Amino acid sequence: MTEPKLFKLPDVGEGLTEAEIVKWHVQPGDTVEDGQTIVEIETAKAIVELPCPFDGVVTELLATEGETVDVGVPIIAVDAGGDGAVATPVSEPPAQTAALREEGVPTANEPGMVTPEEPPKRQPVLVGYGVKEGATKRRARKASSNGVASAAVAPVRPPAPRPQPVDNGLPLAKPPVRKMAKELGIDLATVTGSGPQGSITREDILAAQGAPQAPVAAGPREERVPVKGVRKATAAAMSGSAFTAPHVTEFLQVDVTRTMETVKRLRELPEFADVKVSPLLLVARALLTAVRRHPMVNSTWVDGPNGAEIVVKRYVNLGIAAATDRGLIVPKVKDAQDLDLPGLARALKELTEKARAGKASPGDLSDGTISITNVGVFGVDTGTPILTPGEAAILAFGQIRDMPWVHEGELAIRKVTTLALSFDHRIVDGELGSRVLRDVGDMLEDPIRMLAWS
């Protein structure tokens, strides 16, 4: 039994590297003819019907509908029979061409090559598949007894000093070489080809650019990441929040030297022996205290049948944004207002560990009332966070840095961070937002205030 012919996904448009299989028009066991439409594919530009370049019987579909396939990857196998009478995409002298292809040399009759001696009578529909000259179906040439096609074989000409343009003004070059020249901004008409029949090669393009003739790095130039799961849900939620709630963000630089000293002392207490105490713990406690002092910041806007309402929550489900391999998620510490400081520390630790391990339940990720995002762990000073849908405020906590600061009337090096509070301006006006942000800053400058205001 002869080896099946493999049809590889062609480049159906300059610059495309992949396509999605939309619909197969054939199945294993079906008889196909040269030029028959066998599959529909979708690229970034359009849906394209691909013709089969072989006569034969389909033996296997190598890609499924909905699958994204890279250009050059086989998508179908066809048994073309054992007599070698197989139609090829473009008529070419089989003996010399096969020999050249085995050596990796492009030929003038290869798919996508433009030959100056025989300009195309019509513009090809797809790269690598020319339009037929007439209505009759093109058949393969029969091989003679010595294995050489009976048709006259044109000799391969020696390289010309420079490519000669054809009717459409294109020198002899393969599509990947044209693509490379376009990306580098090089006019092919100004390049002297060193390949067979004066064709332009990659090395010629590099030489024209003045770059060293080194191999071009293989592999895709781009990576496409499917938007699904957590990323899809987060994108939809953030888009809805950004274009529904009018956002306002205020910023405040704070001297947190005393907070850092307090963190160090808390780590020495036995109540915190089994948990990691970080500045985020005191930021969370400060925000909970500010919510108690200003309940309106812990609310949500509801459009009901009888008009809009502001629902003020008397409980705090505190969201802590966590970066995971699946994207950004915001688990909630439920009823955080009822926890003491060691209890809050344990809750933060357990919830973030579950989230990063991918074990957070839907209940852990829902029903938040206000959130914190700690951008400081990424070495970022601050940002303008987008509200979690249904919440009125979110606090961004930036990195803590040594900075020159006026302390007690003198210039000193202090631990400084930047806080940013984004809020829904339908609920929280500038005065309330400023008071909340200032209260959090005051408590981080002097943690004793947390005790006084609790």
Side-chain angles (χ1 to χ4, degrees):
M1 182 177 178
T2 60
E3 192 74 20
K5 295 280 187 178
L6 298 180
F7 176 40
K8 299 178 181 180
L9 181 68
D11 179 2
V12 296
E14 187 172 342
L16 297 178
T17 59
E18 62 183 20
E20 179 181 344
I21 304 298
V22 176
K23 182 181 180 180
W24 281 108
H25 290 273
V26 295
Q27 294 296 323
D30 290 351
T31 300
V32 293
E33 296 182 349
D34 178 15
Q36 175 185 337
T37 298
I38 56 173
V39 65
E40 293 178 19
I41 64 171
E42 182 176 10
T43 69
K45 299 180 179 179
I47 291 183
V48 179
E49 294 181 347
L50 293 184
C52 181
F54 314 127
D55 289 335
V57 178
V58 178
T59 60
E60 185 179 6
L61 302 182
L62 304 177
T64 60
E65 293 182 355
E67 180 180 355
T68 300
V69 182
D70 290 336
V71 169
V73 174
I75 60 174
I76 188 173
V78 177
D79 183 6
D83 59 357
V86 178
T88 55
V90 177
S91 177
E92 62 184 36
Q96 279 103 330
T97 300
L100 289 172
R101 280 180 174 167
E102 288 178 2
E103 298 175 5
V105 179
T107 68
N109 288 322
E110 268 196 71
M113 292 291 285
V114 180
T115 168
E117 291 79 9
E118 298 178 2
K121 296 183 179 180
R122 293 165 63 188
Q123 183 66 28
V125 177
L126 301 178
V127 176
Y129 298 93
V131 179
K132 299 179 184 179
E133 297 181 6
T136 57
K137 190 178 72 158
R138 170 168 48 84
R139 294 293 181 181
R141 297 184 299 268
K142 295 293 183 179
S144 63
S145 58
N146 60 2
V148 180
S150 58
V153 177
V156 178
R157 297 187 177 186
R162 64 180 295 111
Q164 299 297 321
V166 296
D167 292 342
N168 59 7
L170 296 176
L172 182 61
K174 295 187 68 175
V177 177
R178 297 185 187 282
K179 178 174 180 291
M180 179 180 178
K182 182 178 180 181
E183 292 172 348
L184 296 177
I186 295 175
D187 184 1
L188 287 176
T190 65
V191 180
T192 300
S194 62
Q197 301 188 34
S199 63
I200 299 175
T201 66
R202 293 177 181 270
E203 289 72 20
D204 297 332
I205 299 297
L206 291 174
Q209 186 194 25
Q213 297 187 16
V216 180
R221 291 167 56 84
E222 297 178 350
E223 178 185 3
R224 298 193 179 191
V225 180
V227 180
K228 56 185 179 181
V230 171
R231 293 184 187 276
K232 184 175 182 179
T234 301
M238 292 299 99
S239 296
S241 175
F243 295 104
T244 300
H247 284 56
V248 173
T249 305
E250 293 186 340
F251 306 91
L252 179 66
Q253 274 195 319
V254 180
D255 177 2
V256 293
T257 305
R258 291 182 181 177
T259 286
M260 298 305 294
E261 294 170 352
T262 302
V263 168
K264 183 178 180 180
R265 294 181 63 185
L266 289 174
R267 290 171 178 169
E268 298 171 352
L269 297 178
E271 289 82 359
F272 298 92
D274 59 340
V275 294
K276 178 182 177 180
V277 178
S278 71
L280 179 62
L281 174 61
L282 294 186
V283 173
R285 172 55 68 191
L287 183 59
L288 291 172
T289 304
V291 166
R292 181 179 290 112
R293 289 165 58 84
H294 309 282
M296 186 66 76
V297 78
N298 187 55
S299 58
T300 188
W301 181 281
V302 178
D303 290 311
N306 298 322
E309 295 179 325
I310 296 175
V311 180
V312 182
K313 311 293 179 64
R314 299 302 180 183
Y315 56 90
V316 181
N317 291 340
L318 181 62
I320 303 293
T324 72
D325 294 338
R326 300 183 302 133
L328 182 69
I329 62 176
V330 187
K332 326 293 181 184
V333 179
K334 299 298 176 64
D335 291 316
Q337 78 283 351
D338 295 333
L339 299 174
D340 58 13
L341 200 59
L344 182 61
R346 293 186 185 92
L348 292 174
K349 175 178 178 293
E350 293 171 2
L351 208 56
T352 52
E353 287 178 351
K354 285 174 61 177
R356 287 169 182 158
K359 298 180 180 179
S361 67
D364 293 332
L365 303 175
S366 62
D367 299 328
T369 62
I370 195 168
S371 296
I372 298 174
T373 177
N374 184 8
V375 298
V377 295
F378 305 112
V380 174
D381 291 331
T382 188
T384 55
I386 296 177
L387 296 170
T388 302
E391 299 180 13
I394 181 172
L395 179 70
F397 173 38
Q399 69 170 326
I400 298 173
R401 299 194 297 159
D402 290 337
M403 293 183 64
W405 195 263
V406 176
H407 175 66
E408 296 180 350
E410 295 183 358
L411 187 64
I413 300 299
R414 305 287 288 180
K415 301 289 185 182
V416 177
T417 190
T418 302
L419 305 174
L421 183 71
S422 289
F423 48 87
D424 185 342
H425 216 331
R426 297 173 299 178
I427 303 172
V428 181
D429 58 22
E431 180 185 6
L432 177 58
S434 299
R435 288 183 181 275
V436 171
L437 184 59
R438 183 67 262 178
D439 278 3
V440 173
D442 287 345
M443 284 182 275
L444 294 178
E445 286 182 347
D446 185 6
I448 293 297
R449 287 196 176 98
M450 294 186 199
L451 297 178
W453 293 348
S454 296

